Amino acid sequence: MFVRKVSMRLKSEAASEFIRKMENEIIPLLRKQQGFLDEMTLLAQSGKEVYAYSFWESSTDAENYDKKEFAQVTGMLSGVTEGAVRVHTYMVANSTFHKMASAVAS
């Protein structure tokens, strides 16, 4: 499994709009991508910092998304973000994420 971590800063009072865009525009787009597994977005209590983690079956799938769709996603978010969007990539060494998902579903 492969992970892309995208970090960004939000404009003042943009947290609600950011969440709406993620739920209604970006996550549906991600679900259409080959190899996409899951998305987890963390929003700081201040409402200014965001860390979005997307999980992919392989590094090739994540790279294809980066080359083909990521510019569209950053464009969708341009009205709510400020400064540079930073991307880091990781290989998953281990995870207990499935246990958390099961607990939430119960």
Side-chain angles (χ1 to χ4, degrees):
M1 191 176 353
F2 197 75
V3 177
R4 295 177 81 246
K5 176 183 131 186
V6 179
S7 55
M8 64 198 91
R9 290 194 52 83
L10 299 181
K11 294 179 180 177
S12 294
E13 308 301 321
S16 295
E17 180 66 10
F18 170 80
I19 292 168
R20 187 196 67 74
K21 284 180 176 283
M22 286 297 296
E23 291 174 352
N24 298 331
E25 300 174 35
I26 295 166
I27 291 174
L29 185 139
L30 284 168
R31 286 186 174 135
K32 295 177 185 176
Q33 306 307 306
Q34 181 175 336
F36 174 75
L37 298 171
D38 205 354
E39 168 73 19
M40 180 173 51
T41 306
L42 307 176
L43 176 63
Q45 288 183 327
S46 67
K48 295 285 284 176
E49 296 174 62
V50 173
Y51 297 95
Y53 296 85
S54 58
F55 297 81
W56 301 85
E57 288 181 10
S58 70
S59 61
T60 302
D61 293 329
E63 289 166 10
N64 286 338
Y65 163 74
D66 188 63
K67 291 176 186 173
K68 296 177 182 175
E69 305 292 339
F70 188 60
Q72 179 182 354
V73 169
T74 56
M76 290 174 176
L77 293 174
S78 65
V80 295
T81 59
E82 61 184 12
V85 174
R86 294 168 304 283
V87 179
H88 300 276
T89 55
Y90 305 91
M91 181 180 71
V92 176
N94 56 55
S95 170
T96 61
F97 194 68
H98 64 283
K99 291 180 182 181
M100 185 173 65
S102 295
V104 171
S106 298

PDB file of all heavy atoms in Angstrom, residues 49-84:
ATOM      1  N   GLU A  49      -4.926  24.414   9.390  1.00  0.00           N
ATOM      2  CA  GLU A  49      -4.014  23.410   8.836  1.00  0.00           C
ATOM      3  C   GLU A  49      -4.771  22.150   8.465  1.00  0.00           C
ATOM      4  O   GLU A  49      -5.625  21.693   9.225  1.00  0.00           O
ATOM      5  CB  GLU A  49      -2.939  23.043   9.851  1.00  0.00           C
ATOM      6  CG  GLU A  49      -2.025  24.183  10.226  1.00  0.00           C
ATOM      7  CD  GLU A  49      -1.103  23.760  11.343  1.00  0.00           C
ATOM      8  OE1 GLU A  49      -0.310  22.824  11.114  1.00  0.00           O
ATOM      9  OE2 GLU A  49      -1.196  24.349  12.430  1.00  0.00           O
ATOM     10  N   VAL A  50      -4.410  21.593   7.304  1.00  0.00           N
ATOM     11  CA  VAL A  50      -5.040  20.370   6.827  1.00  0.00           C
ATOM     12  C   VAL A  50      -3.958  19.383   6.416  1.00  0.00           C
ATOM     13  O   VAL A  50      -2.962  19.759   5.785  1.00  0.00           O
ATOM     14  CB  VAL A  50      -5.949  20.649   5.601  1.00  0.00           C
ATOM     15  CG1 VAL A  50      -6.468  19.357   5.010  1.00  0.00           C
ATOM     16  CG2 VAL A  50      -7.087  21.563   5.975  1.00  0.00           C
ATOM     17  N   TYR A  51      -4.193  18.120   6.778  1.00  0.00           N
ATOM     18  CA  TYR A  51      -3.373  17.012   6.302  1.00  0.00           C
ATOM     19  C   TYR A  51      -4.333  15.999   5.695  1.00  0.00           C
ATOM     20  O   TYR A  51      -5.226  15.502   6.388  1.00  0.00           O
ATOM     21  CB  TYR A  51      -2.565  16.379   7.439  1.00  0.00           C
ATOM     22  CG  TYR A  51      -1.588  17.349   8.052  1.00  0.00           C
ATOM     23  CD1 TYR A  51      -1.916  18.073   9.190  1.00  0.00           C
ATOM     24  CD2 TYR A  51      -0.353  17.563   7.459  1.00  0.00           C
ATOM     25  CE1 TYR A  51      -1.028  18.983   9.739  1.00  0.00           C
ATOM     26  CE2 TYR A  51       0.542  18.475   8.005  1.00  0.00           C
ATOM     27  CZ  TYR A  51       0.199  19.172   9.131  1.00  0.00           C
ATOM     28  OH  TYR A  51       1.074  20.078   9.662  1.00  0.00           O
ATOM     29  N   ALA A  52      -4.169  15.739   4.412  1.00  0.00           N
ATOM     30  CA  ALA A  52      -5.037  14.784   3.718  1.00  0.00           C
ATOM     31  C   ALA A  52      -4.190  13.596   3.282  1.00  0.00           C
ATOM     32  O   ALA A  52      -3.183  13.757   2.590  1.00  0.00           O
ATOM     33  CB  ALA A  52      -5.681  15.445   2.506  1.00  0.00           C
ATOM     34  N   TYR A  53      -4.600  12.414   3.714  1.00  0.00           N
ATOM     35  CA  TYR A  53      -3.890  11.176   3.395  1.00  0.00           C
ATOM     36  C   TYR A  53      -4.751  10.357   2.445  1.00  0.00           C
ATOM     37  O   TYR A  53      -5.888  10.021   2.778  1.00  0.00           O
ATOM     38  CB  TYR A  53      -3.640  10.363   4.667  1.00  0.00           C
ATOM     39  CG  TYR A  53      -2.748  11.046   5.658  1.00  0.00           C
ATOM     40  CD1 TYR A  53      -3.254  11.963   6.569  1.00  0.00           C
ATOM     41  CD2 TYR A  53      -1.387  10.771   5.685  1.00  0.00           C
ATOM     42  CE1 TYR A  53      -2.434  12.593   7.484  1.00  0.00           C
ATOM     43  CE2 TYR A  53      -0.553  11.393   6.601  1.00  0.00           C
ATOM     44  CZ  TYR A  53      -1.086  12.307   7.493  1.00  0.00           C
ATOM     45  OH  TYR A  53      -0.259  12.930   8.399  1.00  0.00           O
ATOM     46  N   SER A  54      -4.224  10.053   1.275  1.00  0.00           N
ATOM     47  CA  SER A  54      -4.930   9.155   0.358  1.00  0.00           C
ATOM     48  C   SER A  54      -4.137   7.859   0.267  1.00  0.00           C
ATOM     49  O   SER A  54      -2.909   7.862   0.197  1.00  0.00           O
ATOM     50  CB  SER A  54      -5.120   9.791  -1.021  1.00  0.00           C
ATOM     51  OG  SER A  54      -3.898  10.152  -1.605  1.00  0.00           O
ATOM     52  N   PHE A  55      -4.867   6.759   0.297  1.00  0.00           N
ATOM     53  CA  PHE A  55      -4.280   5.423   0.314  1.00  0.00           C
ATOM     54  C   PHE A  55      -4.510   4.756  -1.038  1.00  0.00           C
ATOM     55  O   PHE A  55      -5.630   4.770  -1.554  1.00  0.00           O
ATOM     56  CB  PHE A  55      -4.902   4.589   1.440  1.00  0.00           C
ATOM     57  CG  PHE A  55      -4.638   5.158   2.798  1.00  0.00           C
ATOM     58  CD1 PHE A  55      -5.399   6.197   3.305  1.00  0.00           C
ATOM     59  CD2 PHE A  55      -3.609   4.660   3.575  1.00  0.00           C
ATOM     60  CE1 PHE A  55      -5.151   6.733   4.551  1.00  0.00           C
ATOM     61  CE2 PHE A  55      -3.342   5.184   4.834  1.00  0.00           C
ATOM     62  CZ  PHE A  55      -4.109   6.218   5.323  1.00  0.00           C
ATOM     63  N   TRP A  56      -3.438   4.166  -1.572  1.00  0.00           N
ATOM     64  CA  TRP A  56      -3.450   3.611  -2.928  1.00  0.00           C
ATOM     65  C   TRP A  56      -2.916   2.189  -2.909  1.00  0.00           C
ATOM     66  O   TRP A  56      -2.064   1.853  -2.096  1.00  0.00           O
ATOM     67  CB  TRP A  56      -2.585   4.479  -3.843  1.00  0.00           C
ATOM     68  CG  TRP A  56      -3.076   5.885  -3.888  1.00  0.00           C
ATOM     69  CD1 TRP A  56      -2.769   6.887  -3.015  1.00  0.00           C
ATOM     70  CD2 TRP A  56      -4.004   6.429  -4.811  1.00  0.00           C
ATOM     71  NE1 TRP A  56      -3.448   8.029  -3.350  1.00  0.00           N
ATOM     72  CE2 TRP A  56      -4.210   7.781  -4.456  1.00  0.00           C
ATOM     73  CE3 TRP A  56      -4.673   5.914  -5.922  1.00  0.00           C
ATOM     74  CZ2 TRP A  56      -5.066   8.612  -5.163  1.00  0.00           C
ATOM     75  CZ3 TRP A  56      -5.521   6.746  -6.628  1.00  0.00           C
ATOM     76  CH2 TRP A  56      -5.719   8.078  -6.251  1.00  0.00           C
ATOM     77  N   GLU A  57      -3.384   1.377  -3.851  1.00  0.00           N
ATOM     78  CA  GLU A  57      -2.899   0.006  -3.954  1.00  0.00           C
ATOM     79  C   GLU A  57      -1.414  -0.046  -4.287  1.00  0.00           C
ATOM     80  O   GLU A  57      -0.693  -0.901  -3.791  1.00  0.00           O
ATOM     81  CB  GLU A  57      -3.688  -0.756  -5.022  1.00  0.00           C
ATOM     82  CG  GLU A  57      -5.104  -1.073  -4.595  1.00  0.00           C
ATOM     83  CD  GLU A  57      -5.877  -1.837  -5.647  1.00  0.00           C
ATOM     84  OE1 GLU A  57      -5.277  -2.310  -6.646  1.00  0.00           O
ATOM     85  OE2 GLU A  57      -7.101  -1.963  -5.480  1.00  0.00           O
ATOM     86  N   SER A  58      -0.948   0.873  -5.144  1.00  0.00           N
ATOM     87  CA  SER A  58       0.459   0.849  -5.555  1.00  0.00           C
ATOM     88  C   SER A  58       0.967   2.266  -5.794  1.00  0.00           C
ATOM     89  O   SER A  58       0.190   3.208  -5.967  1.00  0.00           O
ATOM     90  CB  SER A  58       0.616   0.040  -6.848  1.00  0.00           C
ATOM     91  OG  SER A  58       0.050   0.739  -7.938  1.00  0.00           O
ATOM     92  N   SER A  59       2.276   2.383  -5.844  1.00  0.00           N
ATOM     93  CA  SER A  59       2.873   3.686  -6.135  1.00  0.00           C
ATOM     94  C   SER A  59       2.530   4.130  -7.554  1.00  0.00           C
ATOM     95  O   SER A  59       2.353   5.322  -7.809  1.00  0.00           O
ATOM     96  CB  SER A  59       4.385   3.643  -5.934  1.00  0.00           C
ATOM     97  OG  SER A  59       4.989   2.717  -6.804  1.00  0.00           O
ATOM     98  N   THR A  60       2.386   3.187  -8.477  1.00  0.00           N
ATOM     99  CA  THR A  60       2.016   3.525  -9.858  1.00  0.00           C
ATOM    100  C   THR A  60       0.642   4.178  -9.902  1.00  0.00           C
ATOM    101  O   THR A  60       0.443   5.177 -10.604  1.00  0.00           O
ATOM    102  CB  THR A  60       2.040   2.268 -10.752  1.00  0.00           C
ATOM    103  OG1 THR A  60       3.355   1.706 -10.703  1.00  0.00           O
ATOM    104  CG2 THR A  60       1.669   2.581 -12.177  1.00  0.00           C
ATOM    105  N   ASP A  61      -0.316   3.637  -9.151  1.00  0.00           N
ATOM    106  CA  ASP A  61      -1.657   4.227  -9.113  1.00  0.00           C
ATOM    107  C   ASP A  61      -1.608   5.648  -8.562  1.00  0.00           C
ATOM    108  O   ASP A  61      -2.228   6.562  -9.116  1.00  0.00           O
ATOM    109  CB  ASP A  61      -2.600   3.376  -8.252  1.00  0.00           C
ATOM    110  CG  ASP A  61      -2.877   2.011  -8.850  1.00  0.00           C
ATOM    111  OD1 ASP A  61      -2.882   1.883 -10.097  1.00  0.00           O
ATOM    112  OD2 ASP A  61      -3.098   1.070  -8.068  1.00  0.00           O
ATOM    113  N   ALA A  62      -0.860   5.850  -7.487  1.00  0.00           N
ATOM    114  CA  ALA A  62      -0.741   7.180  -6.887  1.00  0.00           C
ATOM    115  C   ALA A  62      -0.049   8.151  -7.837  1.00  0.00           C
ATOM    116  O   ALA A  62      -0.460   9.307  -7.963  1.00  0.00           O
ATOM    117  CB  ALA A  62       0.017   7.094  -5.572  1.00  0.00           C
ATOM    118  N   GLU A  63       0.974   7.695  -8.529  1.00  0.00           N
ATOM    119  CA  GLU A  63       1.691   8.548  -9.489  1.00  0.00           C
ATOM    120  C   GLU A  63       0.801   8.920 -10.669  1.00  0.00           C
ATOM    121  O   GLU A  63       0.839  10.058 -11.152  1.00  0.00           O
ATOM    122  CB  GLU A  63       2.953   7.844  -9.972  1.00  0.00           C
ATOM    123  CG  GLU A  63       4.024   7.753  -8.897  1.00  0.00           C
ATOM    124  CD  GLU A  63       5.144   6.780  -9.246  1.00  0.00           C
ATOM    125  OE1 GLU A  63       5.205   6.300 -10.392  1.00  0.00           O
ATOM    126  OE2 GLU A  63       5.954   6.493  -8.345  1.00  0.00           O
ATOM    127  N   ASN A  64      -0.009   7.976 -11.141  1.00  0.00           N
ATOM    128  CA  ASN A  64      -0.929   8.276 -12.242  1.00  0.00           C
ATOM    129  C   ASN A  64      -1.943   9.334 -11.831  1.00  0.00           C
ATOM    130  O   ASN A  64      -2.248  10.251 -12.596  1.00  0.00           O
ATOM    131  CB  ASN A  64      -1.640   7.005 -12.720  1.00  0.00           C
ATOM    132  CG  ASN A  64      -0.728   6.101 -13.508  1.00  0.00           C
ATOM    133  OD1 ASN A  64       0.281   6.527 -14.054  1.00  0.00           O
ATOM    134  ND2 ASN A  64      -1.079   4.825 -13.553  1.00  0.00           N
ATOM    135  N   TYR A  65      -2.463   9.224 -10.629  1.00  0.00           N
ATOM    136  CA  TYR A  65      -3.375  10.237 -10.107  1.00  0.00           C
ATOM    137  C   TYR A  65      -2.681  11.592 -10.036  1.00  0.00           C
ATOM    138  O   TYR A  65      -3.231  12.612 -10.442  1.00  0.00           O
ATOM    139  CB  TYR A  65      -3.889   9.825  -8.728  1.00  0.00           C
ATOM    140  CG  TYR A  65      -4.499  10.962  -7.957  1.00  0.00           C
ATOM    141  CD1 TYR A  65      -5.755  11.466  -8.295  1.00  0.00           C
ATOM    142  CD2 TYR A  65      -3.816  11.563  -6.899  1.00  0.00           C
ATOM    143  CE1 TYR A  65      -6.304  12.526  -7.595  1.00  0.00           C
ATOM    144  CE2 TYR A  65      -4.361  12.611  -6.196  1.00  0.00           C
ATOM    145  CZ  TYR A  65      -5.600  13.093  -6.542  1.00  0.00           C
ATOM    146  OH  TYR A  65      -6.137  14.138  -5.865  1.00  0.00           O
ATOM    147  N   ASP A  66      -1.451  11.608  -9.546  1.00  0.00           N
ATOM    148  CA  ASP A  66      -0.697  12.849  -9.425  1.00  0.00           C
ATOM    149  C   ASP A  66      -0.509  13.519 -10.783  1.00  0.00           C
ATOM    150  O   ASP A  66      -0.671  14.724 -10.914  1.00  0.00           O
ATOM    151  CB  ASP A  66       0.657  12.570  -8.769  1.00  0.00           C
ATOM    152  CG  ASP A  66       1.401  13.844  -8.449  1.00  0.00           C
ATOM    153  OD1 ASP A  66       0.891  14.629  -7.629  1.00  0.00           O
ATOM    154  OD2 ASP A  66       2.479  14.066  -9.023  1.00  0.00           O
ATOM    155  N   LYS A  67      -0.213  12.732 -11.801  1.00  0.00           N
ATOM    156  CA  LYS A  67       0.041  13.267 -13.140  1.00  0.00           C
ATOM    157  C   LYS A  67      -1.234  13.714 -13.848  1.00  0.00           C
ATOM    158  O   LYS A  67      -1.218  14.678 -14.619  1.00  0.00           O
ATOM    159  CB  LYS A  67       0.739  12.217 -14.001  1.00  0.00           C
ATOM    160  CG  LYS A  67       2.157  11.925 -13.568  1.00  0.00           C
ATOM    161  CD  LYS A  67       2.758  10.813 -14.402  1.00  0.00           C
ATOM    162  CE  LYS A  67       4.112  10.409 -13.881  1.00  0.00           C
ATOM    163  NZ  LYS A  67       4.643   9.223 -14.562  1.00  0.00           N
ATOM    164  N   LYS A  68      -2.347  13.005 -13.610  1.00  0.00           N
ATOM    165  CA  LYS A  68      -3.557  13.247 -14.403  1.00  0.00           C
ATOM    166  C   LYS A  68      -4.613  14.095 -13.697  1.00  0.00           C
ATOM    167  O   LYS A  68      -5.276  14.896 -14.342  1.00  0.00           O
ATOM    168  CB  LYS A  68      -4.182  11.906 -14.804  1.00  0.00           C
ATOM    169  CG  LYS A  68      -3.290  11.090 -15.700  1.00  0.00           C
ATOM    170  CD  LYS A  68      -3.920   9.753 -16.008  1.00  0.00           C
ATOM    171  CE  LYS A  68      -2.987   8.902 -16.869  1.00  0.00           C
ATOM    172  NZ  LYS A  68      -3.513   7.565 -17.079  1.00  0.00           N
ATOM    173  N   GLU A  69      -4.813  13.922 -12.417  1.00  0.00           N
ATOM    174  CA  GLU A  69      -5.955  14.537 -11.737  1.00  0.00           C
ATOM    175  C   GLU A  69      -5.603  15.550 -10.652  1.00  0.00           C
ATOM    176  O   GLU A  69      -6.429  16.392 -10.326  1.00  0.00           O
ATOM    177  CB  GLU A  69      -6.836  13.449 -11.104  1.00  0.00           C
ATOM    178  CG  GLU A  69      -7.304  12.380 -12.050  1.00  0.00           C
ATOM    179  CD  GLU A  69      -8.284  12.877 -13.098  1.00  0.00           C
ATOM    180  OE1 GLU A  69      -8.918  13.932 -12.894  1.00  0.00           O
ATOM    181  OE2 GLU A  69      -8.408  12.208 -14.135  1.00  0.00           O
ATOM    182  N   PHE A  70      -4.414  15.462 -10.089  1.00  0.00           N
ATOM    183  CA  PHE A  70      -4.112  16.284  -8.919  1.00  0.00           C
ATOM    184  C   PHE A  70      -4.169  17.779  -9.218  1.00  0.00           C
ATOM    185  O   PHE A  70      -4.624  18.556  -8.376  1.00  0.00           O
ATOM    186  CB  PHE A  70      -2.755  15.899  -8.320  1.00  0.00           C
ATOM    187  CG  PHE A  70      -2.483  16.574  -7.008  1.00  0.00           C
ATOM    188  CD1 PHE A  70      -3.316  16.383  -5.924  1.00  0.00           C
ATOM    189  CD2 PHE A  70      -1.385  17.403  -6.857  1.00  0.00           C
ATOM    190  CE1 PHE A  70      -3.072  17.003  -4.709  1.00  0.00           C
ATOM    191  CE2 PHE A  70      -1.127  18.024  -5.649  1.00  0.00           C
ATOM    192  CZ  PHE A  70      -1.974  17.826  -4.576  1.00  0.00           C
ATOM    193  N   ALA A  71      -3.793  18.196 -10.401  1.00  0.00           N
ATOM    194  CA  ALA A  71      -3.879  19.621 -10.747  1.00  0.00           C
ATOM    195  C   ALA A  71      -5.329  20.098 -10.702  1.00  0.00           C
ATOM    196  O   ALA A  71      -5.613  21.223 -10.271  1.00  0.00           O
ATOM    197  CB  ALA A  71      -3.269  19.872 -12.119  1.00  0.00           C
ATOM    198  N   GLN A  72      -6.251  19.243 -11.122  1.00  0.00           N
ATOM    199  CA  GLN A  72      -7.669  19.577 -11.072  1.00  0.00           C
ATOM    200  C   GLN A  72      -8.120  19.738  -9.613  1.00  0.00           C
ATOM    201  O   GLN A  72      -8.865  20.658  -9.283  1.00  0.00           O
ATOM    202  CB  GLN A  72      -8.490  18.493 -11.766  1.00  0.00           C
ATOM    203  CG  GLN A  72      -9.982  18.736 -11.750  1.00  0.00           C
ATOM    204  CD  GLN A  72     -10.765  17.611 -12.403  1.00  0.00           C
ATOM    205  OE1 GLN A  72     -10.225  16.686 -12.974  1.00  0.00           O
ATOM    206  NE2 GLN A  72     -12.080  17.697 -12.301  1.00  0.00           N
ATOM    207  N   VAL A  73      -7.661  18.863  -8.747  1.00  0.00           N
ATOM    208  CA  VAL A  73      -8.023  18.932  -7.329  1.00  0.00           C
ATOM    209  C   VAL A  73      -7.485  20.210  -6.698  1.00  0.00           C
ATOM    210  O   VAL A  73      -8.209  20.903  -5.973  1.00  0.00           O
ATOM    211  CB  VAL A  73      -7.519  17.681  -6.577  1.00  0.00           C
ATOM    212  CG1 VAL A  73      -7.656  17.860  -5.066  1.00  0.00           C
ATOM    213  CG2 VAL A  73      -8.269  16.446  -7.042  1.00  0.00           C
ATOM    214  N   THR A  74      -6.236  20.546  -6.955  1.00  0.00           N
ATOM    215  CA  THR A  74      -5.691  21.779  -6.377  1.00  0.00           C
ATOM    216  C   THR A  74      -6.437  22.994  -6.916  1.00  0.00           C
ATOM    217  O   THR A  74      -6.624  23.975  -6.198  1.00  0.00           O
ATOM    218  CB  THR A  74      -4.174  21.909  -6.612  1.00  0.00           C
ATOM    219  OG1 THR A  74      -3.901  21.822  -8.005  1.00  0.00           O
ATOM    220  CG2 THR A  74      -3.413  20.831  -5.857  1.00  0.00           C
ATOM    221  N   GLY A  75      -6.885  22.922  -8.156  1.00  0.00           N
ATOM    222  CA  GLY A  75      -7.701  23.995  -8.716  1.00  0.00           C
ATOM    223  C   GLY A  75      -9.039  24.128  -7.994  1.00  0.00           C
ATOM    224  O   GLY A  75      -9.501  25.239  -7.717  1.00  0.00           O
ATOM    225  N   MET A  76      -9.651  22.998  -7.673  1.00  0.00           N
ATOM    226  CA  MET A  76     -10.927  23.013  -6.937  1.00  0.00           C
ATOM    227  C   MET A  76     -10.770  23.651  -5.558  1.00  0.00           C
ATOM    228  O   MET A  76     -11.696  24.271  -5.047  1.00  0.00           O
ATOM    229  CB  MET A  76     -11.445  21.580  -6.748  1.00  0.00           C
ATOM    230  CG  MET A  76     -11.911  20.905  -7.986  1.00  0.00           C
ATOM    231  SD  MET A  76     -12.309  19.173  -7.558  1.00  0.00           S
ATOM    232  CE  MET A  76     -12.952  18.589  -9.100  1.00  0.00           C
ATOM    233  N   LEU A  77      -9.598  23.500  -4.974  1.00  0.00           N
ATOM    234  CA  LEU A  77      -9.356  24.006  -3.624  1.00  0.00           C
ATOM    235  C   LEU A  77      -8.721  25.391  -3.591  1.00  0.00           C
ATOM    236  O   LEU A  77      -8.529  25.955  -2.516  1.00  0.00           O
ATOM    237  CB  LEU A  77      -8.463  23.025  -2.857  1.00  0.00           C
ATOM    238  CG  LEU A  77      -9.080  21.666  -2.548  1.00  0.00           C
ATOM    239  CD1 LEU A  77      -8.039  20.748  -1.928  1.00  0.00           C
ATOM    240  CD2 LEU A  77     -10.297  21.810  -1.646  1.00  0.00           C
ATOM    241  N   SER A  78      -8.406  25.944  -4.737  1.00  0.00           N
ATOM    242  CA  SER A  78      -7.669  27.211  -4.772  1.00  0.00           C
ATOM    243  C   SER A  78      -8.400  28.352  -4.070  1.00  0.00           C
ATOM    244  O   SER A  78      -7.752  29.250  -3.529  1.00  0.00           O
ATOM    245  CB  SER A  78      -7.332  27.597  -6.213  1.00  0.00           C
ATOM    246  OG  SER A  78      -8.524  27.849  -6.935  1.00  0.00           O
ATOM    247  N   GLY A  79      -9.708  28.325  -4.025  1.00  0.00           N
ATOM    248  CA  GLY A  79     -10.460  29.392  -3.359  1.00  0.00           C
ATOM    249  C   GLY A  79     -10.436  29.320  -1.841  1.00  0.00           C
ATOM    250  O   GLY A  79     -10.781  30.290  -1.168  1.00  0.00           O
ATOM    251  N   VAL A  80     -10.031  28.166  -1.299  1.00  0.00           N
ATOM    252  CA  VAL A  80     -10.042  28.009   0.158  1.00  0.00           C
ATOM    253  C   VAL A  80      -8.654  27.823   0.760  1.00  0.00           C
ATOM    254  O   VAL A  80      -8.497  27.850   1.974  1.00  0.00           O
ATOM    255  CB  VAL A  80     -10.964  26.843   0.595  1.00  0.00           C
ATOM    256  CG1 VAL A  80     -12.406  27.138   0.244  1.00  0.00           C
ATOM    257  CG2 VAL A  80     -10.509  25.527   0.017  1.00  0.00           C
ATOM    258  N   THR A  81      -7.646  27.623  -0.074  1.00  0.00           N
ATOM    259  CA  THR A  81      -6.289  27.421   0.435  1.00  0.00           C
ATOM    260  C   THR A  81      -5.431  28.652   0.195  1.00  0.00           C
ATOM    261  O   THR A  81      -5.735  29.481  -0.661  1.00  0.00           O
ATOM    262  CB  THR A  81      -5.613  26.205  -0.234  1.00  0.00           C
ATOM    263  OG1 THR A  81      -5.557  26.411  -1.645  1.00  0.00           O
ATOM    264  CG2 THR A  81      -6.356  24.933   0.075  1.00  0.00           C
ATOM    265  N   GLU A  82      -4.349  28.729   0.965  1.00  0.00           N
ATOM    266  CA  GLU A  82      -3.375  29.799   0.759  1.00  0.00           C
ATOM    267  C   GLU A  82      -1.981  29.197   0.848  1.00  0.00           C
ATOM    268  O   GLU A  82      -1.750  28.236   1.572  1.00  0.00           O
ATOM    269  CB  GLU A  82      -3.554  30.930   1.768  1.00  0.00           C
ATOM    270  CG  GLU A  82      -3.373  30.541   3.207  1.00  0.00           C
ATOM    271  CD  GLU A  82      -3.664  31.684   4.172  1.00  0.00           C
ATOM    272  OE1 GLU A  82      -4.222  32.718   3.743  1.00  0.00           O
ATOM    273  OE2 GLU A  82      -3.336  31.531   5.355  1.00  0.00           O
ATOM    274  N   GLY A  83      -1.079  29.728   0.071  1.00  0.00           N
ATOM    275  CA  GLY A  83       0.285  29.217   0.083  1.00  0.00           C
ATOM    276  C   GLY A  83       0.408  27.931  -0.720  1.00  0.00           C
ATOM    277  O   GLY A  83      -0.502  27.509  -1.423  1.00  0.00           O
ATOM    278  N   ALA A  84       1.560  27.323  -0.588  1.00  0.00           N
ATOM    279  CA  ALA A  84       1.876  26.123  -1.366  1.00  0.00           C
ATOM    280  C   ALA A  84       1.206  24.888  -0.772  1.00  0.00           C
ATOM    281  O   ALA A  84       1.084  24.755   0.440  1.00  0.00           O
ATOM    282  CB  ALA A  84       3.385  25.918  -1.403  1.00  0.00           C
TER     283      ALA A  84
END
